């Protein structure tokens, strides 16, 4: 069965420090992977995606993510966190085969960046 | 010139009432979605339309009925509202998925429904 796991409900990091938000996935075919961010009382915003090619993907607001096929992971990273990065982050995966019209969503990770 | 707009933003109503939420996108996208986000922030897809055709219909009570008059609009009507329907409902749109082309979703700001 296809699934996405975000093993941490909450991540706390000090401003200026690097941050990592973890995501692992399970799909039957090649994965299409996505990260979204949700600021309080707002809709989700697309951050970045991995389809094929370079394992390191760069996205909006200085975020990047590394696709690791052997570990079936797609962790979101940023070299230097800002207080304004505090938000809820969702990882999602779409199977390249099967029902490729639906995204499978993680449960979200709340990121708190402390000044 | 909001890309995906939903109305109303807030909706407070009594159990048993019927209510509708409207969504419009001006991105020229073919595919639109309704998502429900509960109090624990869990995101669940409800419906998806591609160019007015229903393509995703998850296990949702039949009190929920989507309607897409054209590919830029997707409305959600809810009959006989229950307490458990209280949530934030998000509309989203994307370019057509499938054919090997992955799409990015553009979300509206959400409609917070409170059923008393």
């Amino acid at each position: 069965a296809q699934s996405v796991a975000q093993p941490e409900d909450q991540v706390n990091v000090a401003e200026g420090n690097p941050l990592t938000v973890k995501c692992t996935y399970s799909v039957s075919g090649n994965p299409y992977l996505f990260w979204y961010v949700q600021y309080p009382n707002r809709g989700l915003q697309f951050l970045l995606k991995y389809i094929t090619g370079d394992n390191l993907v760069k996205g909006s607001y200085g975020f990047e993510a590394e696709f690791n096929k052997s570990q079936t992971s797609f962790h979101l990273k940023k070299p230097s966190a800002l207080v304004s990065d505090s938000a809820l982050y969702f990882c999602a995966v779409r199977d390249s085969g099967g029902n490729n019209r639906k995204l499978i969503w993680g449960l979200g990770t709340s990121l708190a960046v402390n000044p | 010139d909001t890309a995906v707009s939903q109305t109303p933003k807030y909706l407070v109503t009594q159990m048993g009432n019927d209510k509708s939420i409207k969504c419009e996108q001006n991105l020229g996208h073919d595919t639109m979605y309704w998502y429900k986000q509960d109090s624990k922030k869990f995101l669940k897809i409800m419906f998806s339309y591609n160019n007015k055709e229903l393509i995703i219909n998850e296990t949702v009570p039949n009190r929920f009925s989507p309607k897409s008059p054209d590919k830029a609009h997707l409305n959600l009507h809810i009959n006989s509202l229950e307490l458990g329907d209280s949530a934030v409902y998000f509309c989203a749109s994307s370019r057509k998925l499938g054919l090997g082309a992955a799409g990015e979703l553009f979300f509206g700001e959400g409609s917070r429904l409170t059923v008393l």
Side-chain angles (χ1 to χ4, degrees), chain A residues 22 36 41 61-62 81 99 102 104 108:
Chain A
K22 295 180 181 177
Y36 286 79
N41 300 312
Y61 310 123
N99 183 353
K102 194 165 69 171
I104 307 298

Side-chain angles (χ1 to χ4, degrees), chain A residues 36 38 42 94 102 105 107, chain B residues 35 37 42 102 105 109:
Chain A
Y36 286 79
Q38 185 179 25
R42 303 293 301 276
R94 187 168 73 82
K102 194 165 69 171
W105 294 85
L107 296 182
Chain B
Y35 277 88
Q37 187 174 46
F42 178 60
L105 271 60
E109 293 293 282

Side-chain angles (χ1 to χ4, degrees), chain A residues 11-83:
Chain A
V11 170
N12 294 292
V13 64
E15 187 175 28
N17 282 1
L19 70 87
T20 299
V21 182
K22 295 180 181 177
C23 173
T24 59
Y25 66 89
S26 173
V27 297
S28 54
N30 292 321
Y32 293 172
L33 294 151
F34 303 83
W35 276 102
Y36 286 79
V37 60
Q38 185 179 25
Y39 297 103
N41 300 312
R42 303 293 301 276
L44 281 75
Q45 295 178 36
F46 168 79
L47 273 180
L48 50 79
K49 66 182 177 184
Y50 172 82
I51 305 301
T52 186
D54 244 350
N55 288 343
L56 186 64
V57 178
K58 293 189 184 296
S60 306
Y61 310 123
F63 283 92
E64 58 190 28
E66 187 167 10
F67 171 64
N68 187 318
K69 188 171 183 177
S70 62
Q71 297 185 6
T72 60
S73 67
F74 189 56
H75 300 332
L76 181 70
K77 300 182 181 188
K78 188 172 182 181
S80 178
L82 299 172
V83 172

Side-chain angles (χ1 to χ4, degrees), chain B residues 18-89:
Chain B
D18 304 339
K19 290 293 176 187
S20 292
I21 307 171
K22 295 185 176 182
C23 179
E24 175 181 5
Q25 55 94 3
N26 62 7
L27 297 167
H29 287 166
D30 291 311
T31 308
M32 296 185 73
Y33 311 78
W34 278 112
Y35 277 88
K36 178 181 180 181
Q37 187 174 46
D38 64 20
S39 58
K40 294 184 178 179
K41 306 297 183 183
F42 178 60
L43 206 58
K44 176 183 163 61
I45 188 167
M46 301 173 70
F47 303 103
S48 177
Y49 273 75
N50 182 64
N51 204 9
K52 301 195 294 175
E53 178 191 355
L54 182 65
I55 57 171
I56 295 175
N57 185 354
E58 291 294 286
T59 308
V60 175
N62 57 16
R63 299 181 294 104
F64 290 79
S65 52
K67 187 169 284 188
S68 181
D70 56 62
K71 74 173 191 176
H73 295 84
L74 180 61
N75 303 324
L76 182 66
H77 187 76
I78 316 170
N79 290 327
S80 304
L81 279 156
E82 299 178 357
L83 293 176
D85 297 333
S86 295
V88 181
Y89 293 85

